[in-house]
Structures are given as C-alpha cells and as structure tokens.
Amino acid sequence: MGFMLKAPAGTPGSAVPAIMIGLFVAFGGVLYGYDTGTISGIMSMNHWRELFSTGYKNADDHLPDITSSQKSLIVSILSAGTFFGALTAAPSADLLGRVYGLVVSNVVFCVGVILQTVATDIPLFVAGRFFAGYGVGMISAIIPLYQSETSPKWIRGAVVGCYQFAITVGLLIAAIVDNATKDRNDTGSYRIPIAVQFAWAIIMFVGCIFIPETPRWYIKKGRPEQAAKSLAKLRKLDIEHPALVEELSEITANHEYELSLGKATYLDCFKGNLGKRLATGCLLQALQQLTGINFIFYYGTSFFKNTGISNAFVITMITSCINVVSTIPGLWLVEKWGRRKLLLFGAIGMAVCQFIVAIAGTVVGTDNLPVQRLLIAFVCIYIFFFACSWGPVAWVVTGEIFPLKVRAKSLSLTTATNWLLNFAIGYATPYMVDSGPGNADMGAKVFFVWGGCCFICIFFVWAMIYETKGLSLEQVDELYGKISKAWQSPGFVPSVSFQDVQDAAVDNRRMSLTDAEAQATRKRSAQYNETYNEKNSAV
C-alpha cells in the first residue's frame, strides 16, 4: 500500500489511521475466503469421502464418495446461509452500529465452525455450513459499508478493494492447509482446516474492541459529538480543525437533506434514482459470480482431478497464489484508471480466456497433455483478469453508490444478490460438469457459459457503471442526480455542497418567515386603518 499512501497536496491531517483501520476490517475477508475455499479440498480428501459417504462410489476412481446432490447441498448451503446473513446485516448495522454488527457476525460464524468441526455425518456438517455462512453473509455486507464510511475519498477504492485481497489470502491459506492435511487418515484431515477458522474469528473479535464506530452512523443516530470524535481519530485532526468541521458539516447536511425527503424503507430502495443504483449494484454482484470464479475455487480441485490432471491440490494452490498476487495491481488501478476502465479491461480479458479454454477443451479434449497445460495456463490468466478488476471493484462500487439513509439496506440487498447467485452456481455446478445419470457431463464446455456471461459484462459496464473515482460519498449523490447516462459520467466535476443547500434552505425559511411577518403587519395595519376610518366617520 506504500505507493498509494501519499495524500493529495494540501490534504490536512493524516489518512494513516483510517487506512490502517480499513485494512484491519478488511481482514474479515479472510473468513469469507477461507471458509469458501476450504470445502473444495475437504470434499476431495479420501478419509472425509469415506466417513461421510452413504454408500455411493465415485465412477472415476471407484472409491467411497458423496453423490452429486449431496455435494450440491454441502457446497451451496453455505451460500444459502450467507444470503440470509446479508439480508440481516442491514438491520443489525443500523440498529447496533457497524462495529457491533461485526461482533455479532463473528459469534454466529463461530457457532457454525463448532458444528462443522464436531460433525461426522452430513446433516450436522450441513447445519454447521449454514450457520458459518450466515455469519460470513453478515460480515460480507458490513465490511464494505464500514470501509466506505471511514476512508478518505482519494483512497477509498483501494481500501475497500483490500477486502477482496483478504478474500484471496483466505482462499490461498485454505489451499495450503488442505494440502497439508489431505493425506491424514483420521478426522484431523478435515477438522484441522475447519478449526483453523477460530483464529480468524478471534482476531476480528478482539480488534473490534479498539476500532471506532463510523461518524456517518453517529450522525444517522443524532450523536454529533461522538461523530466528531470518531472523525477526528480517523483523520488525525483536532476536533476543532476547520477541515474536520467542514467534512462533518457536509455529512450532517447531506443526511438532513435526505431526511427532509422522508424516511427510507426497503421499498424506497427500488424507487426512481435509488432503484437505478440498486439495479446497478445487484447486477454487478450477480455478474461477478457468473464470471465463473467460484467454479474454480469451489470445484477446482475436483474438476482438475476429473479431467485427468495429476496433483490437483497443487494446481489449486497455484491458482490461489495467482489470485492473491493479481489483486495487488487492482488496488492501484482502481484509483489510477477508475472503476469503469478497470471493469471493462477485466471483462474483455476474462471473456477471451474462458472461450479459449472452452474451445480447446471441447474440440481436442482434456485427455491431451498439451490441452491440459493450455487449460491450466488460461485459467490462471483468467484469474489474473478477475482478481485485478471484478474481484475488488465490485465491492468498491457497491460500497459507494448509495446515499446514507438507504446505504445499509441497499448494500445488504446487493450482497444478498451475490450470495444468491453463489448458491445457484454452487448447487448447479455438480449437475453441469459431473458424469453419470442425471448429470449434464459438460466438462470443459461449462467455460462457454462463463465466457458468455463475461461477454455480457462488457456491455453492462458501458451502460450501467458510473465513474465515481475521487468523489466523496456525498458527491456521488450529485453525480447520479445530474448525469443520466453512465457513459457520460467520466470527467464529472461536483458543484453542489450540501452544506450550502442546507444554508440556503435556512435562509429561505428565514425569508419566508420575514415575508409572513410583513404580511401579518400589513394586515394588522389595514385592520387598524379600517377601524380608525369607521370611528372618524361615526364622529
């Protein structure tokens, strides 16, 4: 992050506290990445397959295994839990606060980890997956919300993008731990990888004791003094510093302006300009899943095994390493190129790679060694394009396009969309790629599906994604209010201050009051003159 820490000239205070706090909160992505990444390796462990098998034998290696339907349930139930967890995140984050919302998420997650660790059959394992997913779903919605509300605007994209970086680190650690325990012939083969998750949860839980609540949440709750203290800590400025007073005034004025339009409900998220933003966020998160990335990390080990590739665990570790390393340039490019260009770059690159893998695997077949190498090479290149673009930027965009009064609600809906598609892909994939009765046995042809979705991504970005680089969260509101078409958004220069709008409204109220007083005075004068004239006439 060192190459991005230099603030624009003339920026008062220091962004280091906000950045460091944002990076710590991003650590929650390790829970997300590790929990989703570890299941692929666990389901390929011979001891786990034998212990959890209900009598089915794999047609490829003739060893005990679970059926495609059982595999679908075990993988996708986590996503079902995360879907409901993401929806719960909004009321939790609004009622308890962003920080206490994270604490509750960790507790729920740990319940799920306990159940998975002690399980020796599918029902209890599935229950543990659901509760762990519930906690991860809450975390995945609250973390970008917290980061967006605390980070300085000039580095907000990179800080929120670090959440995706943490997810990739979690995936890599999962691959390493799975590889280290896969040959154990006891329950430690799967219990050790699962129990390691307690470490991530404890780190998050303890850290939440020391991080401040977001100033925007305090303003939302009508606690301006605490908001000022929180912002002072984040910006490393005195509470009376003009720059801090100005930023806090803008946040307050924006919130009061929003409240003047009425209180927000979930229904409001779907109306007018807010509905357009919600559609953008939901489609962005859905398409992020439909690029096929979680096919690689959920079923990569099994897929590589079934296509005849030896050392499938090692290949999964390599793809996880590429995922981590490739996210780093994305954290710089999101502020250098902006959101639109980076997403377009990623969508084009991913589409090309997916179609090459699909065509080569279908025409020549995956039994051919050169084709296997080609498949692995272009899967790795595809991961590079995803990790530096759609991986981090989807969370960046959804974290910054919603106004404060509906931000938690809208973010929970966009995150729930991500997990809903995650569930659908996790559930359908075994039926799509596995061999045997009732399965499509698509094999490498499944990459045609992901490639087609990546092609759709190109047109979606051009038509729907606004360029929000360098804008404060309040200025993003002005952008959506003034610019009707996404492709016209690059180069937008904000001109409205919500503090000025509030001051103007106060002046108008004063003028209205003055006019009313003058009118009342004229009326009283007229009544006095009329009474006076009547008396004179009587005389």
Side-chain angles (χ1 to χ4, degrees):
M1 290 286 290
F3 56 88
M4 297 181 288
L5 286 177
K6 189 176 180 181
T11 303
S14 172
V16 172
I19 293 171
M20 292 298 106
I21 290 170
L23 292 180
F24 167 75
V25 172
F27 182 82
V30 174
L31 276 74
Y32 173 172
Y34 188 93
D35 198 43
T36 56
T38 193
I39 194 62
S40 176
I42 287 174
M43 290 193 305
S44 297
M45 294 175 181
N46 290 335
H47 182 79
W48 187 90
R49 290 166 60 185
E50 183 179 350
L51 182 64
F52 284 80
S53 175
T54 53
Y56 172 78
K57 289 197 174 184
N58 191 299
D60 294 318
D61 58 16
H62 306 293
L63 294 174
D65 205 348
I66 58 174
T67 65
S68 293
S69 61
Q70 291 169 334
K71 193 183 296 183
S72 291
L73 175 64
I74 289 171
V75 172
S76 61
I77 196 67
L78 178 105
S79 302
T82 54
F83 173 76
F84 291 108
L87 292 178
T88 309
S92 299
D94 277 344
L95 179 65
L96 303 174
R98 301 356 181 181
V99 175
Y100 283 119
L102 287 174
V103 171
V104 171
S105 307
N106 270 277
V107 173
V108 177
F109 176 76
C110 286
V111 171
V113 173
I114 291 169
L115 294 177
Q116 289 179 81
T117 304
V118 302
T120 55
D121 56 13
I122 290 177
L124 187 59
F125 195 81
V126 166
R129 293 274 295 167
F130 178 83
F131 282 105
Y134 200 100
V136 168
M138 293 181 70
I139 288 169
S140 63
I142 295 174
I143 286 176
L145 173 64
Y146 183 93
Q147 291 174 313
S148 295
E149 291 189 347
T150 55
S151 302
K153 63 183 181 181
W154 57 271
I155 199 170
R156 185 178 63 242
V159 171
V160 178
C162 283
Y163 174 54
Q164 176 65 24
F165 178 73
I167 293 173
T168 65
V169 171
L171 287 165
L172 174 60
I173 297 173
I176 293 171
V177 176
D178 281 350
N179 189 58
T181 65
K182 71 179 189 297
D183 294 324
R184 289 178 65 112
N185 199 29
D186 56 24
T187 56
S189 60
Y190 70 90
R191 281 177 170 163
I192 292 172
I194 292 171
V196 164
Q197 296 175 100
F198 284 117
W200 320 139
I202 291 169
I203 292 170
M204 279 294 295
F205 189 90
V206 173
C208 285
I209 298 172
F210 302 101
I211 62 175
E213 184 54 78
T214 74
R216 286 174 171 87
W217 185 78
Y218 280 132
I219 292 296
K220 186 180 177 73
K221 291 297 180 180
R223 292 148 73 175
E225 296 84 4
Q226 288 170 289
K229 291 178 182 177
S230 172
L231 193 60
K233 183 175 182 179
L234 291 166
R235 301 293 181 262
K236 209 172 182 180
L237 288 170
D238 185 79
I239 202 168
E240 301 294 337
H241 193 283
L244 188 139
V245 172
E246 182 182 357
E247 183 175 356
L248 195 63
S249 298
E250 184 69 7
I251 294 170
T252 305
N254 175 249
H255 180 57
E256 290 178 355
Y257 173 74
E258 290 173 0
L259 289 181
S260 71
L261 304 177
K263 288 187 176 181
T265 64
Y266 271 102
L267 187 61
D268 292 323
C269 297
F270 295 88
K271 294 179 179 178
N273 191 284
L274 296 179
K276 176 181 178 180
R277 301 193 216 185
L278 183 63
T280 300
C282 289
L283 286 170
L284 179 62
Q285 291 285 18
L287 287 169
Q288 189 206 47
Q289 290 298 310
L290 289 169
T291 59
I293 189 64
N294 278 330
F295 167 74
I296 302 296
F297 292 111
Y298 279 163
Y299 296 105
T301 308
S302 303
F303 178 76
F304 290 136
K305 264 189 173 182
N306 293 337
T307 53
I309 295 172
S310 59
N311 297 322
F313 277 91
V314 176
I315 299 298
T316 302
M317 286 179 60
I318 292 171
T319 56
S320 296
C321 285
I322 293 169
N323 197 24
V324 172
V325 174
S326 301
T327 305
I328 296 172
L331 303 180
W332 177 72
L333 290 171
V334 71
E335 299 296 354
K336 183 68 176 178
W337 287 4
R339 285 56 162 160
R340 277 175 62 85
K341 286 182 181 178
L342 188 52
L343 286 172
L344 280 171
F345 168 76
I348 293 169
M350 287 190 297
V352 171
C353 292
Q354 298 276 26
F355 283 128
I356 289 174
V357 170
I359 293 169
T362 303
V363 174
V364 183
T366 55
D367 294 334
N368 186 294
L369 183 60
V371 171
Q372 290 179 3
R373 290 172 176 169
L374 181 74
L375 185 149
I376 294 169
F378 275 95
V379 164
C380 292
I381 297 171
Y382 153 78
I383 291 172
F384 162 78
F385 280 110
F386 175 87
C388 73
S389 60
W390 281 74
V393 180
W395 299 106
V396 172
V397 171
T398 54
E400 63 190 12
I401 62 175
F402 301 111
L404 179 59
K405 70 174 183 177
V406 297
R407 187 171 296 139
K409 294 181 177 67
S410 297
L411 255 177
S412 73
L413 291 170
T414 59
T415 308
T417 303
N418 180 294
W419 288 114
L420 182 63
L421 268 294
N422 193 304
F423 168 79
I425 293 167
Y427 188 82
T429 296
Y431 296 107
M432 294 168 68
V433 300
D434 284 358
S435 58
N439 297 326
D441 194 17
M442 293 179 69
K445 294 186 187 73
V446 75
F447 286 92
F448 279 118
V449 177
W450 313 137
C453 292
C454 291
F455 193 70
I456 293 171
C457 289
I458 298 170
F459 296 97
F460 166 75
V461 173
W462 180 81
M464 297 285 286
I465 298 297
Y466 280 67
E467 184 51 71
T468 52
K469 181 185 76 169
L471 300 178
S472 70
L473 297 181
E474 288 68 39
Q475 289 167 344
V476 172
D477 281 342
E478 183 187 350
L479 168 67
Y480 271 91
K482 287 186 174 181
I483 307 297
S484 60
K485 296 178 176 63
W487 57 88
Q488 296 174 342
S489 62
F492 169 77
V493 178
S495 58
V496 173
S497 163
F498 282 97
Q499 181 63 48
D500 294 341
V501 171
Q502 187 186 45
D503 291 344
V506 171
D507 291 341
N508 287 335
R509 285 197 295 270
R510 286 173 179 167
M511 290 177 65
S512 298
L513 181 62
T514 303
D515 290 344
E517 288 175 344
Q519 188 175 357
T521 301
R522 287 195 295 270
K523 186 176 181 180
R524 287 195 298 270
S525 297
Q527 289 174 341
Y528 173 81
N529 290 334
E530 185 178 349
T531 304
Y532 179 79
N533 290 334
E534 286 176 355
K535 286 182 179 179
N536 285 342
S537 297
V539 173

